[in-house]
Amino acid sequence: MNQFISFQIHGGADHGDGMLDMLIAVLAFFEGLTAPNSNGFFSAFLPGLSGMANYHPLFVHFPIAFLIAFFILDALGSVLDKANWRNIAAGLLYLGTISAIFTVIAGFIAANTVVHGGNVHAIMERHEHLGVSVLLLATLLSVWRFKFGERLKAGLNVFFLSIAAVLCVLLSLGADLGGQMVYQYGVAVQAVVQPDNNGHQHNH
């Protein structure tokens, strides 16, 4: 279809790269969007998503961002006596807990579907345990925060923030193991060798 349209427009002449290739790319994009199956849509609109072995990587960033931001903002709000900061931090905690639920579920699905060796299995087990621990602590802190709210003060608040600090440490350790599995062992990564005859480099 794309070749036919480009032939009709330019009579089959060789016009080189540029606007013609851009037009063909746009046509291919919309042709993919209108494909009768969902794979055609995702391949055109979200090629990275369609190429993923599992959806666990889509969720992992949310609990990391929300929960660490919660701890930092809540600690600063406590030290500086900023009630509004602590209210925002509570919202981040709830969002982090909800996103952690989806992340852990997606992680268990990924563990059962991704091919991995014995050396990676031990790392994956520790990664799972840390992930579940983070979810349990986040749930505990969310319930605690929802129940006590602004009554979390003095020693009780110090204990609350101490648990939140432990949560952030476990979260960081789990993220590190996840990165190790992907970047060191290539778990769920389909390597594609791209021939590069021009020796392209990003030199600034």
Side-chain angles (χ1 to χ4, degrees):
M1 174 183 174
N2 296 330
Q3 291 81 355
F4 173 77
I5 294 177
S6 62
F7 178 81
Q8 293 297 319
I9 295 175
H10 297 290
D14 184 9
H15 290 266
D17 298 332
M19 292 299 297
L20 176 59
D21 288 341
M22 186 186 304
L23 176 61
I24 293 175
V26 171
L27 290 173
F29 173 77
F30 284 105
E31 186 175 9
L33 290 181
T34 56
N37 55 66
S38 59
N39 289 332
F41 172 82
F42 283 115
S43 296
F45 193 64
L46 299 170
L49 180 63
S50 64
M52 294 175 65
N54 62 83
Y55 295 143
H56 180 60
L58 286 178
F59 298 101
V60 295
H61 305 89
F62 293 100
I64 294 173
F66 286 139
L67 293 174
I68 291 179
F70 142 71
F71 172 68
I72 294 174
L73 194 59
D74 207 38
L76 289 175
S78 298
V79 172
L80 301 176
D81 195 22
K82 300 285 187 180
N84 56 330
W85 291 15
R86 300 205 66 196
N87 290 334
I88 296 174
L92 293 172
L93 171 61
Y94 302 146
L95 289 173
T97 303
I98 294 171
S99 60
I101 294 172
F102 289 100
T103 303
V104 169
I105 293 173
F108 278 119
I109 295 173
N112 292 325
T113 57
V114 171
V115 178
H116 58 278
N119 57 341
V120 175
H121 185 74
I123 300 174
M124 187 175 292
E125 286 290 318
R126 294 199 302 271
H127 179 70
E128 288 180 0
H129 294 159
L130 288 170
V132 172
S133 298
V134 167
L135 175 57
L136 292 176
L137 286 179
T139 303
L140 172 65
L141 292 175
S142 294
V143 173
W144 195 357
R145 187 58 166 266
F146 184 79
K147 183 176 180 180
F148 288 96
E150 296 181 355
R151 290 178 290 171
L152 276 174
K153 296 180 180 179
L156 187 62
N157 187 55
V158 172
F159 185 53
F160 178 86
L161 289 175
S162 298
I163 297 178
V166 172
L167 181 150
C168 289
V169 171
L170 297 179
L171 186 65
S172 301
L173 293 175
D176 180 72
L177 291 177
Q180 184 183 15
M181 285 189 290
V182 173
Y183 295 110
Q184 184 174 342
Y185 293 99
V187 175
V189 174
Q190 182 178 356
V192 178
V193 178
Q194 297 289 347
D196 191 353
N197 298 326
N198 297 325
H200 178 72
Q201 295 180 352
H202 288 277
N203 294 325
H204 299 285

